[in-house]
């Protein structure tokens, strides 16, 4: 249930002004919370739907970034989303414009951003990259330094018989790159975003994982569930909220389907590495990003941090934060609702109406000041 009203927004604004003034160390009212940092989910916390930025989110980010001059220095924060399919620099520029704050390079973690470090051993090797519209995920892969990133359309262009249910469109014919996969040993498959053609992509992943030495059109003996070709997925969400009133199927649902087909055809468990919330790899990368940010603004990157994750999804945002030793703030502006007395499956540190109230609560908790 979405709960916004003009009256509430107005009262939130005045509250924020009051507590921000109290925090200005130049007034000497409250010591600056040196250890405090925030991690925000985007959908259902800062935004609702594709285009609707919540006004309280804009105010909070302005405050924390120090952009309005009310804080003596910024409080570190970053955004962690299970979304993706767009190169980080492009998404960062778009979000900076939408949210009204300039996000630095260490302040955005998309589902595939941790792959930037993870893919280093594959930079010179041929890999298959799956997900997103057109060749967007190839652009993501190339932005991470992968020099030989192929996409499903390249494979179909090589041998249309490998998936004859849907032909390439004119546009796909134009961007698909010519390649002879009988001579290209694929070494990994990276699923970086929701796939637009589940049947095609399940078939291609099965073929690649089952191939001998990564050569499409060959088949190796399945003697164990340790594949020769590594499979990496960036987002485990089974469902997600779009502008449609019923939750839509996400990359996690695709993986469940892939697992079932792999088991049915090989008798084995699907071997894969999972990134995205709530997985440890993503939280480790995010904490490292917060420390890089501290370093970039001239602060000690090694100080103990009290990180507060603000999210709307107990199963991803809250579960991941709790497991990582962060505090967690569950908000009511997204998928979670307790209107009928529901309790979240993963218990947060606190439940608040929205991101602004959550941030106020965390600052009060860290400074000991009742505002
Ligand atoms: Mg969310």
């Amino acid at each position: 249930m979405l709960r916004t009203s003009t009256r509430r927004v107005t009262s939130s604004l005045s509250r924020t002004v009051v507590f921000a003034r109290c925090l200005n160390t130049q007034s000497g009212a409250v010591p600056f919370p040196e250890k405090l940092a925030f991690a925000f989910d985007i959908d259902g916390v800062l935004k609702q739907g594709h285009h609707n930025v919540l006004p309280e989110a804009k105010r909070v980010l302005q405050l924390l970034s120090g952009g309005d001059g009310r804080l003596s220095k910024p409080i570190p924060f970053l955004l962690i989303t299970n979304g993706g399919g767009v190169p980080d620099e492009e998404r960062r520029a778009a979000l900076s414009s939408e949210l009204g704050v300039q996000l630095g390079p260490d302040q955005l973690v998309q589902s595939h951003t941790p792959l930037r470090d993870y893919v280093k051993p594959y930079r010179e090797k041929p890999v298959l990259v799956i997900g997103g519209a057109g060749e967007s995920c190839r652009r993501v892969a190339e932005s991470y330094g992968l020099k030989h990133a192929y996409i499903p359309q390249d494979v179909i262009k090589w041998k249309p018989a490998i998936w004859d249910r849907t032909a390439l469109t004119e546009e796909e014919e134009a961007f698909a790159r010519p390649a002879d996969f009988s001579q290209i040993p694929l070494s990994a498959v990276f699923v970086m975003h929701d796939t637009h053609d589940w049947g095609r992509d399940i078939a291609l992943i099965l073929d690649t994982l089952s191939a001998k030495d990564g050569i499409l059109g060959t088949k190796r003996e399945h003697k164990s569930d340790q594949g020769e070709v590594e499979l990496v997925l960036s987002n485990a969400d089974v469902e997600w909220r779009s502008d449609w009133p019923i939750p839509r199927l996400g990359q996690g649902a695709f993986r469940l389907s892939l697992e079932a087909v792999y088991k049915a055809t090989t008798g084995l468990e699907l071997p894969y590495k999972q990134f995205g919330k709530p997985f440890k790899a993503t939280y480790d990368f995010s904490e490292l990003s917060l420390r890089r940010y501290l370093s970039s603004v001239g602060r000690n990157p090694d100080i103990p941090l009290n990180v507060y994750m603000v999210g709307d999804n107990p199963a991803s945002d809250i579960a991941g934060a709790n497991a990582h030793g962060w505090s967690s703030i569950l908000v009511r502006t997204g998928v979670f609702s307790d209107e009928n007395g529901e309790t979240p499956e993963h218990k947060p540190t606190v439940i608040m109406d929205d991101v602004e109230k959550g941030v106020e609560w965390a600052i009060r908790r860290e400074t000991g000041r009742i505002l």
Side-chain angles (χ1 to χ4, degrees):
M1 173 61 76
L2 309 183
R3 303 179 180 187
T4 49
S5 69
T6 306
R7 196 175 62 171
R8 207 196 64 187
V9 165
T10 307
S11 70
S12 290
L13 177 60
S14 56
R15 270 202 323 279
T16 300
V17 169
V18 168
F19 101 110
R21 281 179 182 150
C22 289
L23 266 174
N24 191 327
T25 56
Q26 287 170 1
S27 72
V30 177
F32 187 84
E34 294 287 346
K35 296 178 180 175
L36 180 59
F38 287 96
F40 298 105
D41 176 38
I42 297 177
D43 297 313
V45 174
L46 304 179
K47 294 175 68 176
Q48 287 172 335
H50 285 301
H51 305 294
N52 181 25
V53 175
L54 295 173
E56 57 265 38
K58 279 191 167 186
R59 290 195 298 271
V60 158
L61 297 187
Q62 273 293 328
L63 172 71
L64 296 181
S65 63
D68 57 12
R70 290 181 287 161
L71 283 178
S72 60
K73 53 187 171 183
I75 290 177
F77 72 88
L78 53 64
L79 317 185
I80 314 176
T81 174
N82 271 353
V86 180
D88 294 316
E89 292 306 301
E90 287 178 30
R91 188 84 199 277
R92 192 160 66 84
L95 281 169
S96 296
S97 168
E98 283 181 288
L99 298 170
V101 293
Q102 186 57 47
L103 297 170
D106 298 309
Q107 289 184 287
L108 172 64
V109 177
Q110 300 194 86
S111 70
H112 44 66
T113 307
L115 296 181
R116 194 165 54 195
D117 292 341
Y118 187 80
V119 301
K120 281 178 184 166
Y122 292 105
R123 282 184 171 173
E124 305 293 333
K125 297 179 180 175
V127 299
L128 186 62
V129 179
I130 287 180
E135 56 177 348
S136 60
C137 280
R138 172 160 31 218
R139 294 197 300 114
V140 173
E142 290 177 345
S143 76
Y144 296 161
L146 289 166
K147 294 178 182 165
H148 308 285
Y150 296 99
I151 57 176
Q153 289 89 342
D154 302 338
V155 179
I156 310 295
K157 188 183 183 98
W158 169 61
K159 296 287 184 194
I162 206 166
W163 180 251
D164 60 2
R165 308 297 166 88
T166 47
L168 294 185
T169 63
E170 239 176 66
E171 186 193 0
E172 288 174 319
E173 282 284 0
F175 65 66
R177 295 179 184 171
D180 179 1
F181 288 94
S182 71
Q183 304 297 317
I184 296 174
L186 294 168
S187 58
V189 179
F190 295 105
V191 183
M192 291 191 167
H193 196 44
D194 294 327
T195 151
H196 286 210
D197 190 333
W198 284 30
R200 179 196 69 190
D201 293 342
I202 285 176
L204 284 185
I205 293 173
L206 284 178
D207 279 6
T208 309
L209 297 187
S210 303
K212 190 167 187 323
D213 301 322
I215 299 291
L216 290 174
T218 67
K219 201 160 175 60
R220 71 184 173 90
E221 284 292 313
H222 282 90
K223 289 180 179 165
S224 75
D225 59 2
Q226 295 305 305
E228 291 176 8
V229 176
E230 184 175 26
L231 171 65
V232 179
L233 300 108
S234 68
N235 174 1
D237 289 349
V238 174
E239 293 182 328
W240 64 287
R241 279 274 181 194
S242 70
D243 295 330
W244 185 247
I246 311 298
R248 304 291 79 198
L249 296 179
Q251 201 189 114
F254 173 76
R255 194 205 67 219
L256 289 172
S257 306
L258 178 60
E259 281 184 290
V261 178
Y262 189 83
K263 178 92 175 177
T265 55
T266 67
L268 300 170
E269 301 300 323
L270 180 73
Y272 64 90
K273 168 88 175 170
Q274 181 71 66
F275 284 84
K277 292 178 289 185
F279 292 90
K280 183 176 185 305
T282 287
Y283 283 82
D284 285 343
F285 184 88
S286 298
E287 183 144 345
L288 189 64
S289 297
L290 276 172
R291 295 186 181 284
R292 284 176 182 153
Y293 170 82
L294 280 172
S295 188
S296 74
V297 295
R299 290 178 58 189
N300 179 6
D302 301 319
I303 57 167
L305 284 176
N306 295 339
V307 184
Y308 288 74
M309 173 88 216
V310 187
D312 69 314
N313 187 333
S316 63
D317 305 318
I318 305 306
N322 291 349
H324 203 67
W326 291 357
S327 299
S328 53
I329 300 170
L330 179 60
V331 292
R332 299 185 171 101
T333 46
V335 297
F336 172 72
S337 166
D338 55 0
E339 273 210 334
N340 298 314
E342 300 93 333
T343 54
E345 54 193 302
H346 295 274
K347 194 171 183 298
T349 312
V350 70
I351 301 175
M352 303 299 287
D353 275 350
D354 60 42
V355 62
E356 188 169 44
K357 287 180 179 163
V359 166
E360 289 177 7
W361 174 84
I363 293 178
R364 280 200 303 272
R365 192 178 190 224
E366 288 296 311
T367 59
R369 175 64 62 97
I370 297 172
L371 300 169

